Every structure is written in C-alpha cells, then in structure tokens.
Amino acid sequence: MSRVVTHELIHAFDHCRAHVHWFSDVRHLACSEIRAASLSGDCSLLNEIFRLRFGLRRHHQICVRDRAALSIVAVRNISREEAQKAVDDVFESCFNDREPFGRIPHTKMYARYAHRDFQNRDRYYSNI
C-alpha cells in the first residue's frame, strides 16, 4: 500500500512542481511515470523477484522503462510503441531527477537517509 501511495504522491509532486500537461503532452506523462516507477519502490529487486522478472545488470532501469510504458498505455489510447518512444525520449533526465527524495529509496534504511537529507537540505547552503 505504501508503494502505491508513494507512486501517486510523486505524481502530485510533479503536478505542483513542474506544471505537467497530463492530457496534451505524452512526454510529460512519461516523465512523471518514470519518476514514480523509480522512486516509489515499484522496481525494487524484491518486487522484481516476485514478478519473476529480474536480472543482475541494470534491472532497475529496465523495470522503470517497462513500468512507465505500461502505465502510459493504461491511461492513454496509444500503442505500446508510441509509449515506449515517449519514455525513451525523456528517460535520462527524468530517471536522474530524484526530487523530493534526493536518492532512490530502495529500502527503509535508504528512505530514512532520504528523510534525513530532506531535513538537512538548507543546512549546507545557508552560509552561501
């Protein structure tokens, strides 16, 4: 349940921060889906093992691409190829955008680190 809530809250964060055009630009939707799949824990190694889809090399990136494309196809009336193209167009920049966490919270320990980093976010730049 927490994974689903986190996924949807990332969409809400993107809506407020980036002014996403959900219905007119499929690349905006693709970017938000990439971020949500990556940051929500949807593509954690444990989840991939339960899905019987995992690999030792770049499994996280492959999962994020697949989950984002599936999400786009589920909410838009477009082909899998169009969704995959939209994901590929924006993947690098969106996959590397880890706000508001600052890191991919793979485990509860990483989530605690992300929360700590968030609490200390102004501490290092206050003297600049």
Side-chain angles (χ1 to χ4, degrees):
M1 184 66 163
S2 66
R3 194 172 61 238
V4 174
V5 171
T6 304
H7 182 105
E8 297 307 323
L9 285 173
I10 291 168
H11 289 315
F13 179 83
D14 289 345
H15 181 76
C16 293
R17 178 188 70 156
H19 308 290
V20 178
H21 298 283
W22 298 105
F23 303 107
S24 61
D25 193 346
V26 71
R27 293 180 326 167
H28 286 196
L29 176 61
C31 187
S32 189
E33 290 297 346
I34 289 166
R35 287 175 30 74
S38 179
L39 297 173
S40 67
D42 200 26
C43 288
S44 69
L45 182 60
L46 186 60
N47 287 339
E48 287 294 280
I49 290 171
F50 286 138
R51 291 182 191 123
L52 300 176
R53 292 187 52 160
F54 61 93
L56 297 177
R57 232 174 142 236
R58 299 178 59 99
H59 83 274
H60 186 72
Q61 289 90 336
I62 293 167
C63 174
V64 168
R65 283 180 190 270
D66 290 345
R67 302 295 292 176
L70 286 173
S71 293
I72 294 168
V73 169
V75 299
R76 286 288 185 85
N77 189 18
I78 62 174
S79 69
R80 169 90 175 167
E81 291 76 27
E82 289 175 296
Q84 195 65 47
K85 183 182 180 325
V87 168
D88 291 341
D89 288 347
V90 298
F91 186 80
E92 288 303 317
S93 63
C94 298
F95 182 77
N96 291 320
D97 181 5
R98 297 193 174 110
E99 289 299 322
F101 299 118
R103 66 178 71 216
I104 299 173
H106 288 295
T107 63
K108 289 186 181 197
M109 180 180 69
Y110 285 129
R112 284 194 296 272
Y113 289 156
H115 181 67
R116 181 200 62 202
D117 293 344
F118 174 76
Q119 289 177 320
N120 294 326
R121 68 190 178 279
D122 297 325
R123 182 177 185 187
Y124 301 108
Y125 301 108
S126 63
N127 294 329
I128 297 178

